[in-house]
Amino acid sequence: MFQGHRTLAACRCSMSSLWRDLGGYGGLSHYLDLGHCVSHGQQRKAHTKSHQVPFAQRDRSLKRRSDIFQRPTGLNRKENFLASPTTPAQSPKSERNPKFAHWRQEVKGSKTPEELLSHLFDAFDASQVDCSVISACMQTCGDQYWWSTLLQVHDLQKANAIKLGTVGSMIFLNALRKCCKTGRTPAKDLLLRREQALALGKQICQELSRPKTKPDYLKTLGCVYALCAAIGPKALPWAMDFQEQMRLQGWTSITRLEFGPFLALLEQDGQTKKVDELLQKEPRFFDEVLLGELVNVAGTRYDWKRVEHLWVKSQTDRHFQPNELCYRARCKAHLLCGRPTACLRVLDEMRSAGFNMKVARTAEMELQALIIIYHSGLSKPHLHRLSKVSREKLDFSEVPASLQSNIRRLKEVAQRLMTKPSSLVFPDLLVQVYCKEGKMAHWCNHKAGSKYLKDQDA
């Protein structure tokens, strides 16, 4: 949500409708923002430049609809990237000393945890550390998923009695959220990490002063809900307790930004009927961003039928055009569920809808699905398509090195498969992380041509 002192989020909308009682959620009632987006005053210069935002996050932000999300970025071209930046001049000098700007820049440019800590210790030695320097460290740790370093920075902040303030606290919550994502972290370690993040999140919110403005309240609520969604169903009681605390303080409004993570949390908890009820009551919040969020959650639960239900619901209830991120989320879900043939059908729909299939992330999914499908059946049509896709030149501009490496590896596997299929058994085919982490990770050592997808991909 925050990048430095800028927010990558939906812009706040005017209040126009009461969110009806949600039943078994402690009487959770809000005013929903259903109006059109409004400006937040004059354009402000963002503290963090767009190139400093991780590629995947920047890509998601730039693909959001400009009629829903605020656009000013401080750049010459218009991009629906920035929603509600904070004016540097409004930050108290006790929290953001302009003389410490070079330390903030140094830590944001750190390539390793060791480099970041070295800069931070140098700043301490120079007695030039305030809330903003600590926040810049926490932001970088979140972007890079440096969990242990994030905890070290937090320990240093506490040991030196540096108060984060509202913005710094939001940055910390956001960094905790990012570090709770799956990836290279072993499942056992990730579970422990999420438990720690839940405890730290509660501690941060207990230390926060009561929100004085509506934007402060909404940012806090949005960060809490987003962190809860990253932690999972164990955080649902805290989310409801926090909302009740805010209600008792007189804050009851909610926007699309908070609505999405809350529904994602319910979806993770398997409360699909409640999610459908809320979508039915407040259909204007059901857009491509929310569709992608919910499809991703259903995919991680290996519930491909729920994925398709949400997709159909988006077309019958709202009739909006899903963007390429929605299509890729749907493909990812089917790969997680061990359904490469279904993934290929979705990619065909995507092609028919006019999307560019030479985008690296889309091509990666098509290559992976085709490799598995061809290995299973060794059919000539799939051989021809695999040969064609593996030869296509892709746009690698602003593509992470890890993705480029994956695509190179996929092309190597495809070439070997087309040359000598018998040299590969099923586990040799899995390159993409969704396949390695999903149901296919537990499949047998199927041989080429054994038609193992006939039953698996029904």
Side-chain angles (χ1 to χ4, degrees):
M1 192 175 301
F2 280 83
Q3 292 298 316
H5 283 224
R6 66 188 272 173
T7 306
L8 304 179
C11 66
R12 312 301 181 184
C13 307
S14 58
M15 311 299 292
S16 65
S17 175
L18 178 65
W19 192 3
R20 297 176 182 83
D21 188 12
L22 299 182
Y25 297 101
L28 176 64
S29 300
H30 301 287
Y31 281 103
L32 289 179
D33 293 342
L34 300 178
H36 295 291
C37 296
V38 294
S39 172
H40 285 271
Q42 64 180 9
Q43 181 173 317
R44 304 155 179 169
K45 184 176 180 181
H47 298 190
T48 299
K49 306 301 184 292
S50 60
H51 70 272
Q52 294 175 312
V53 180
F55 173 81
Q57 182 180 349
R58 185 168 73 250
D59 188 47
R60 288 193 300 271
S61 298
L62 292 174
K63 287 183 170 62
R64 298 180 303 187
R65 285 168 51 189
S66 58
D67 62 327
I68 293 178
F69 295 89
Q70 189 78 327
R71 294 180 296 185
T73 62
L75 303 176
N76 291 329
R77 61 184 182 277
K78 290 183 177 180
E79 294 175 340
N80 47 312
F81 185 77
L82 185 60
S84 53
T86 302
T87 304
Q90 292 180 350
S91 300
K93 284 192 176 182
S94 59
E95 294 183 14
R96 187 179 178 83
N97 192 321
K99 294 181 180 180
F100 300 168
H102 64 289
W103 292 118
R104 294 190 289 268
Q105 191 64 30
E106 291 284 0
V107 297
K108 286 182 182 181
S110 299
K111 302 300 181 184
T112 65
E114 294 76 16
E115 183 181 352
L116 182 144
L117 289 173
S118 176
H119 289 314
L120 181 56
F121 286 132
D122 288 345
F124 270 116
D125 289 342
S127 299
Q128 293 187 335
V129 177
D130 62 359
C131 168
S132 69
V133 176
I134 293 293
S135 297
C137 292
M138 290 177 166
Q139 175 196 349
T140 304
C141 289
D143 288 345
Q144 301 297 333
Y145 312 113
W146 294 339
W147 173 251
S148 60
T149 311
L150 177 63
L151 296 185
Q152 285 180 270
V153 173
H154 175 60
D155 288 342
L156 286 167
Q157 172 245 320
K158 299 294 286 186
N160 288 274
I162 299 173
K163 185 175 174 59
L164 287 178
T166 301
V167 173
S169 297
M170 299 305 100
I171 291 173
F172 190 22
L173 288 173
N174 193 44
L176 291 172
R177 173 185 64 81
K178 290 183 178 182
C179 288
C180 284
K181 291 182 178 179
T182 56
R184 298 177 183 177
T185 308
K188 186 177 180 180
D189 294 341
L190 190 61
L191 181 62
L192 178 60
R193 181 180 295 188
R194 287 173 174 170
E195 290 175 355
Q196 289 178 279
L198 179 57
L200 283 169
K202 290 180 178 179
Q203 176 187 322
I204 295 165
C205 289
Q206 286 174 354
E207 295 171 356
L208 276 174
S209 57
R210 175 180 174 175
K212 296 180 180 179
T213 65
K214 178 183 173 183
D216 283 346
Y217 154 69
L218 289 172
K219 290 170 185 176
T220 306
L221 184 65
C223 279
V224 169
Y225 278 174
L227 175 58
C228 288
I231 293 170
K234 283 189 176 181
L236 183 57
W238 176 43
M240 303 313 305
D241 287 345
F242 185 80
Q243 189 281 330
E244 178 64 13
Q245 292 172 25
M246 293 295 101
R247 187 189 68 79
L248 292 174
Q249 292 180 17
W251 298 105
T252 57
S253 61
I254 193 170
T255 72
R256 159 66 186 83
L257 179 60
E258 297 79 41
F259 187 72
F262 179 72
L263 258 61
L265 188 57
L266 295 181
E267 185 75 33
Q268 289 182 66
D269 199 42
Q271 301 189 45
T272 55
K273 288 185 179 179
K274 178 60 68 175
V275 171
D276 286 348
E277 288 175 10
L278 294 176
L279 289 175
Q280 192 68 34
K281 288 178 180 178
E282 306 298 343
R284 296 189 186 186
F285 280 90
F286 196 15
D287 57 18
E288 53 268 54
V289 177
L290 182 53
L291 174 62
E293 287 182 83
L294 297 178
V295 164
N296 272 321
V297 172
T300 57
R301 292 195 294 109
Y302 305 125
D303 190 349
W304 65 266
K305 291 183 179 179
R306 176 63 177 170
V307 168
E308 292 305 308
H309 169 80
L310 288 166
W311 196 270
V312 171
K313 187 175 180 64
S314 72
Q315 301 305 292
T316 56
D317 292 3
R318 291 285 289 130
H319 303 290
F320 61 81
Q321 173 62 51
N323 61 21
E324 63 182 279
L325 298 180
C326 294
Y327 277 101
R328 288 208 292 263
R330 191 177 167 203
C331 288
K332 170 187 171 181
H334 283 296
L335 287 176
L336 282 168
C337 294
R339 293 166 49 81
T341 304
C343 172
L344 201 62
R345 287 197 295 268
V346 174
L347 288 166
D348 288 338
E349 287 182 32
M350 190 175 177
R351 180 177 282 105
S352 298
F355 289 100
N356 179 11
M357 304 304 288
K358 294 184 180 181
V359 174
R361 291 190 183 276
T362 305
E364 180 195 24
M365 289 184 170
E366 188 168 15
L367 272 170
Q368 180 67 91
L370 278 170
I371 285 170
I372 297 170
I373 294 168
Y374 175 62
H375 183 266
S376 173
L378 297 180
S379 71
K380 288 186 177 180
H382 287 132
L383 172 62
H384 175 74
R385 182 168 176 177
L386 178 59
S387 176
K388 179 182 178 183
V389 172
S390 63
R391 292 196 310 268
E392 287 180 340
K393 292 184 178 180
L394 304 176
D395 179 11
F396 282 123
S397 59
E398 292 193 311
V399 171
S402 58
L403 178 56
Q404 295 185 44
S405 176
N406 273 2
I407 292 177
R408 283 195 297 268
R409 175 61 182 153
L410 284 166
K411 289 188 174 184
E412 290 169 2
V413 172
Q415 187 59 42
R416 183 177 167 189
L417 179 61
M418 291 185 289
T419 304
K420 193 177 181 181
S422 61
S423 67
L424 295 167
V425 292
F426 181 75
D428 299 328
L429 313 176
L430 305 184
V431 175
Q432 200 176 37
V433 66
Y434 313 133
C435 299
K436 291 181 177 180
E437 293 180 347
K439 287 192 172 183
M440 287 187 282
H442 307 290
W443 287 9
C444 301
N445 292 340
H446 299 293
K447 295 181 179 180
S450 59
K451 294 181 170 54
Y452 50 85
L453 289 181
K454 184 176 181 181
D455 297 322
Q456 302 277 12
D457 201 13

